[in-house]
Amino acid sequence: MSLSSAAILEGDQGTKRKTESLKSPDSQAASVPQETPLQNLCLASQAVLERAQKQGRSKCTKCNSSRMFYCYTCYVPVETVPTREIPVVKLPVKIDIIKHPNETDGKSTAVHAKLLAPEDVTIYTYPCIPDYEEMKHEIALIFPGPNSVSVNDIPLSLQNKLEKKVGCEKDDGSPAEPVLKHAKVEPDGNFSELNSRSVSKNSGLKKIIFVDSTWNQTNKIITDERLQGLLQIELKSRKTCFWRHQRGKPDTYLSTIEAIYYFLVDYHQELLKEKYEGQYDNLLFFYSFMYKLIKNARSSAGKE
C-alpha cells in the first residue's frame, strides 16, 4: 500500500515529541523565518524519494523489515531507495548521538544524520555510551545551561580545558603533554586576520555530542557522570519546522537533525571563517521531503 502524505499526517495526530532546547535569548535576530522554512536549500534530487513514496513501504536490505524510505534500526535505505541516489555529507567534526532508550526509533530524526553522514555519525542508546574522560579537551556537548558557551567561544574554552588537564597531570607526577602555543603576530592588516582564522580552524574540537530525547527525559542523560565536565555549547535561537513539535513548548526547540545542521552551519561560518555555500544542506534531505509531504497533507485536510 502506498504511503500517502495524508497517511503520514494521520500518524502524527496527537504525537508529542520534543528534542533539545537550543535557544539563546540574545540571538533572536538569527531566527529562521517560520513562514519560509527549509527554502533555498542546496539539495540533491529527491526524485528517488518521490518514486519510493508512490511505491509504498519496502523491505530493509538488512533485516527485511517493512519500512518507508529507510530502516530506522539498521540505518540503511530500503530496497526502493538505492544507496547510490542518496547524498553523502562529509562533516568537519565527528558526531555522537546519545538516544534515550524510550525514544521511538521511527520518530527520531537522528537516523537522518547517520544515513547521510555514515562515516562521521555514531548513534548510541543510553546507558551504553562511551567514556569521554580522556577526550574532554576535544569534545563539546550541545546542550543549554548556565555554563554553556557560544560556538565562537569553543577554541578558547577547549584550550583552557587542555591547560587544566596538563596542570593536573603535572601535579600527579605523570608525564604531561605540551600545550600548543600560537605564534605571536602583530595585530595589523592581513596578519591579524590570518592568525585569527588559523586559531579558529585549529580549535581543538574533534567531536560533538547531541542528545536525542524528549525534554522531560534529558535530565537522566545529561546528569550521567560520563558527561560531566564536558564543554557545553548553546546554539543560536532558531525556529523548528518539526511536525511533531511538543505542545506547550516554544518553537525554538529543535529536532535533532535541525540542531546538527544549524550547529555545522555556525561552525563553518564562525570558526572555519568560510563562506557557507550549502555544504551541509543535504543533512536535511529526508527531513525537508517529509516536511513537504506533511505540509501538503495538512493543507489538503484544511480544504476538506
Side-chain angles (χ1 to χ4, degrees), residues 44-49 51 80-88 285:
S45 172
Q46 294 176 321
V48 62
L49 300 182
R51 293 195 300 270
T80 54
V81 182
T83 302
R84 66 180 180 276
E85 296 187 51
I86 300 300
V88 176
F285 181 75

Side-chain angles (χ1 to χ4, degrees), residues 14-161:
T15 303
K16 293 183 179 180
R17 166 73 158 81
K18 184 275 156 201
T19 54
E20 297 105 298
S21 170
L22 304 165
K23 61 180 180 176
S24 176
D26 58 351
S27 304
Q28 295 299 326
S31 297
V32 175
Q34 193 172 18
E35 62 272 18
T36 57
L38 306 179
Q39 288 187 352
N40 303 316
L41 294 174
C42 298
L43 296 174
S45 172
Q46 294 176 321
V48 62
L49 300 182
E50 294 171 357
R51 293 195 300 270
Q53 189 263 331
K54 292 177 182 178
Q55 295 177 55
R57 300 171 72 87
S58 181
K59 287 184 179 181
C60 168
T61 56
K62 287 190 174 182
C63 68
N64 290 323
S65 297
S66 177
R67 301 282 191 255
M68 174 57 70
F69 302 130
Y70 55 81
C71 179
Y72 43 77
T73 52
C74 299
Y75 310 139
V76 295
V78 294
E79 292 178 336
T80 54
V81 182
T83 302
R84 66 180 180 276
E85 296 187 51
I86 300 300
V88 176
V89 184
K90 182 61 181 175
L91 307 185
V93 294
K94 299 296 183 181
I95 288 178
D96 281 1
I97 300 174
I98 301 176
K99 187 173 70 68
H100 193 281
N102 294 337
E103 188 73 3
T104 304
D105 291 340
K107 296 177 181 178
S108 171
T109 63
V111 182
H112 299 181
K114 181 61 178 176
L115 284 162
L116 297 163
E119 295 183 358
D120 297 318
V121 175
T122 305
I123 298 179
Y124 298 95
T125 299
Y126 188 82
C128 298
I129 66 174
D131 186 347
Y132 298 107
E133 179 64 32
E134 296 301 318
M135 300 176 62
K136 286 185 177 180
H137 59 288
E138 301 173 335
I139 298 178
L141 171 67
I142 302 296
F143 198 81
N147 298 317
S148 60
V149 302
S150 67
V151 172
N152 274 326
D153 295 326
I154 290 176
L156 180 59
S157 298
L158 289 181
Q159 178 70 10
N160 290 338
K161 283 187 174 294

Side-chain angles (χ1 to χ4, degrees), residues 3-15 294 297-298:
L3 178 64
S4 65
S5 54
I8 295 177
L9 174 61
E10 181 180 358
D12 286 320
Q13 293 297 331
T15 303
I294 292 170
R298 287 175 174 170

